[in-house]
Amino acid sequence: MVRKTKEEAQETYNTLLDAAEKVFAEKGVTSTTLNDVATAAGMTRGAIYWHFKDKNALFQAMCDRAFLPMEALLNEIVSTPHKDPLAGIKQLNVHFLNLVTGNARQQNVFDIIFHRCEKNSELIFFSAESEKRVECLSKVQAMIQQAVDQGQLHPETDTWIAMQAIHAYVIGIVHEWLEDSSAYCLMLHAEDMIDMFLAGLIARPPLKKVRPAEKECGLQLVVNNQD
């Protein structure tokens, strides 16, 4: 009986996440209420509060369920010693794009985050997620540093900027592809797109510079815009 109860609780939990994913996509996160999710799931608000203390917790759980395979992939790749670090970086990013294109749930959750969600103080998810993002990106930067150490990249490569660039590139691909997934088959072209970036990284890597202070950098941007 205990086992059956746990199975039923897990089924209820997944049904609520499925309903949240559906309603968030239709109404947007800010406009969605817990009552909307309960109605879509065919349950009461009490069922939601049994599993989630509020909408933030529900949103977090929905994202965690979708992103867990990606986090597992990252941990698996970065924990494996690579004789060819750039091949590891390619594997990571190609697999990431293939996971997104081959999994409807991950597509839906990314679409909600990119296009159906206001990043405001009401959603504390993004504050917590920023810490996890820093941790993940630091692992990617470590792989780029391995490529430098093994002579695959210029010894003066700015690994921080290289990491930021590849992250922006890959997330940008997903963001734009979700705007019109019929434009092209991302799974078919994922490897070519990553190869193109890495070829540019090898040929013209960002080199270390004396970084201006943040205020100076912003001031320079304003001056350039006025020119």
Side-chain angles (χ1 to χ4, degrees):
M1 289 297 293
V2 173
R3 182 182 177 185
K4 182 178 179 181
T5 300
K6 288 182 178 179
E7 290 174 349
E8 290 176 344
Q10 187 62 46
E11 182 178 352
T12 299
Y13 180 85
N14 288 327
T15 298
L16 289 169
L17 293 184
D18 291 342
E21 186 179 309
K22 179 177 181 293
V23 180
F24 286 151
E26 292 174 352
K27 299 187 63 173
V29 178
T30 302
S31 299
T32 295
T33 66
L34 290 180
N35 192 58
D36 294 330
V37 175
T39 300
M43 299 180 186
T44 64
R45 283 171 57 95
I48 293 184
Y49 284 120
W50 178 261
H51 292 278
F52 312 102
K53 68 176 183 178
D54 54 26
K55 187 166 70 172
N56 271 301
L58 176 62
F59 184 80
Q60 177 75 61
M62 180 196 71
C63 292
D64 287 346
R65 182 177 67 163
F67 296 156
L68 186 60
M70 299 180 184
E71 293 176 12
L73 172 66
L74 173 61
N75 290 331
E76 177 183 350
I77 291 177
V78 299
S79 63
T80 303
H82 285 282
K83 294 181 179 179
D84 186 349
L86 287 181
I89 293 171
K90 173 181 175 178
Q91 179 189 12
L92 174 65
N93 287 283
V94 171
H95 281 203
F96 169 73
L97 292 178
N98 286 339
L99 279 172
V100 174
T101 55
N103 188 297
R105 173 170 294 151
Q106 289 171 353
Q107 289 179 32
N108 290 339
V109 173
F110 268 114
D111 189 53
I112 290 168
I113 291 174
F114 288 151
H115 306 121
R116 307 284 187 270
C117 182
E118 294 181 10
K119 296 181 181 180
N120 54 36
S121 58
E122 292 183 14
L123 275 179
I124 60 175
F125 163 81
F126 291 102
S127 298
E129 194 66 16
S130 64
E131 296 179 7
K132 187 183 297 184
R133 175 177 175 273
V134 169
E135 180 182 352
C136 290
L137 292 182
S138 68
K139 294 178 181 179
V140 175
Q141 185 181 3
M143 294 181 71
I144 298 173
Q145 183 61 56
Q146 291 174 24
V148 173
D149 295 341
Q150 295 187 26
Q152 292 184 311
L153 294 174
H154 192 286
E156 289 299 308
T157 296
D158 189 327
T159 59
W160 172 262
I161 297 301
M163 173 271 288
Q164 294 287 349
I166 194 166
H167 175 69
Y169 177 70
V170 174
I171 293 300
I173 288 174
V174 174
H175 184 284
E176 293 304 306
W177 181 74
L178 287 173
E179 289 279 4
D180 181 10
S181 59
S182 66
Y184 64 96
C185 178
L186 178 53
M187 184 174 289
L188 181 64
H189 296 286
E191 185 171 356
D192 291 337
M193 297 174 86
I194 298 302
D195 280 341
M196 180 176 67
F197 181 92
L198 293 178
L201 180 62
I202 294 169
R204 292 290 300 274
L207 302 182
K208 295 176 182 177
K209 298 179 176 66
V210 177
R211 296 180 184 173
E214 186 176 347
K215 290 183 178 179
E216 293 176 358
C217 189
L219 179 61
Q220 185 64 43
L221 179 62
V222 171
V223 171
N224 289 341
N225 288 341
Q226 291 176 344
D227 290 343

